[in-house]
Amino acid sequence: MSGSTVRVGLVYPELLGTYGDRGNAVVLVDRLRWRGLDAELVEVAVRTPLPEQVDMLVIGGGEDAAQLAALDELRPQVERLRHAVEREMPILAVCAGFQLLGSTISLAGRRDPVEGLGLYEGHTAPTGSRWVGEALLDVGLEGVGPVSGFENHGASTTLGPGEQPLGRIRRPAGEDRTDGVVHGSLVGTYLHGPVLARNPALADHLLARVVGELGPIDDDLAAHLHRARLDSLG
Ligand code: GLN
């Protein structure tokens, strides 16, 4: 940690922030503060280098053009990201953010695949039609349980053989597919929501990697939201 304050870096919110994904960073900061811990949200603006003094990184989703612009900005800084994963710094990457950390990205209507940042092995290619709607995942991370969220993407990611997905899709029913990746301290998912607001156990899982065991908090509202979304998905 940088001193006693946990610093949560929010990467390029002006490019990568569809469906309120910046809320993931807010949730991380708030859940620390509710426990009496010092935490700070550090916005990383475009054309600003990724800060060295952060303890976690959050990267959101975005439209194709914004996503490719973010990729261009991040490419010269890939070593910093790689180093962060080597140091086991938690990184949450959602949708476009998740795609651009993988190996190759091919987006609908664009001819050539572009090289991703290669933090995990995963190839993103158009699905033929958009996947839009509520989704429910069975997640293997200890203590996290089922995770719900909202997906909207025209490309999907096939992981390399050595990679672990975040979870297997339970809803929509009848779809045999997985979502996301867990690659060391990097967690990728297609789920918006913001996913950490809807799934506080996933937020606490990431936080515990930084601050160790977390004390209980009165988060009835967050728990209620989590339950309500699961119930609505059956
Ligand atoms: N542009 C990407 C796709 O459509 C990611 C979209 C998103 O982040 N919601 O696949």
Side-chain angles (χ1 to χ4, degrees), residues 18-19 61-64 67 95-96 99 107 130 152-155 192:
T18 46
Y19 305 115
E63 295 77 20
D64 294 0
Q67 170 179 11
C95 203
Q99 293 176 344
L107 297 170
R130 290 195 80 76
N152 182 357
H153 48 111
H192 304 276

Side-chain angles (χ1 to χ4, degrees), residues 54-142:
V54 284
D55 304 293
M56 314 179 77
L57 283 176
V58 175
I59 311 178
E63 295 77 20
D64 294 0
Q67 170 179 11
L68 295 175
L71 181 58
D72 287 344
E73 290 277 325
L74 287 172
R75 198 180 297 288
Q77 308 183 72
V78 66
E79 280 314 315
R80 189 160 288 181
L81 286 169
R82 221 189 292 281
H83 186 56
V85 176
E86 277 164 16
R87 284 189 298 131
E88 301 188 357
M89 186 174 89
I91 301 178
L92 174 73
V94 176
C95 203
F98 162 53
Q99 293 176 344
L100 59 81
L101 298 186
S103 322
T104 56
I105 308 163
S106 164
L107 297 170
R110 285 172 200 267
R111 243 188 343 199
D112 301 317
V114 290
E115 215 179 299
L117 297 173
L119 264 60
Y120 66 91
E121 191 189 348
H123 301 274
T124 294
T127 54
S129 60
R130 290 195 80 76
W131 286 347
V132 186
E134 290 284 315
L136 178 63
L137 301 183
D138 288 315
V139 167
L141 293 173
E142 209 188 317

Side-chain angles (χ1 to χ4, degrees), residues 12-31:
Y12 305 157
E14 32 334 21
L15 291 176
L16 300 173
T18 46
Y19 305 115
D21 282 343
R22 71 171 288 122
N24 289 320
V26 174
V27 167
L28 291 170
V29 167
D30 281 354
R31 293 186 72 79

Side-chain angles (χ1 to χ4, degrees), residues 4 7 18 25 38 43 49 67 99 111 128 137 146 168 170-171 174-175 186-187 192 219 227:
S4 59
R7 295 170 49 116
T18 46
D38 284 333
E43 287 202 26
Q67 170 179 11
Q99 293 176 344
R111 243 188 343 199
L137 301 183
R168 179 156 287 282
R170 196 189 325 161
R171 294 278 185 279
E175 293 190 11
L186 164 65
V187 174
H192 304 276
D219 66 345
R227 195 68 261 156

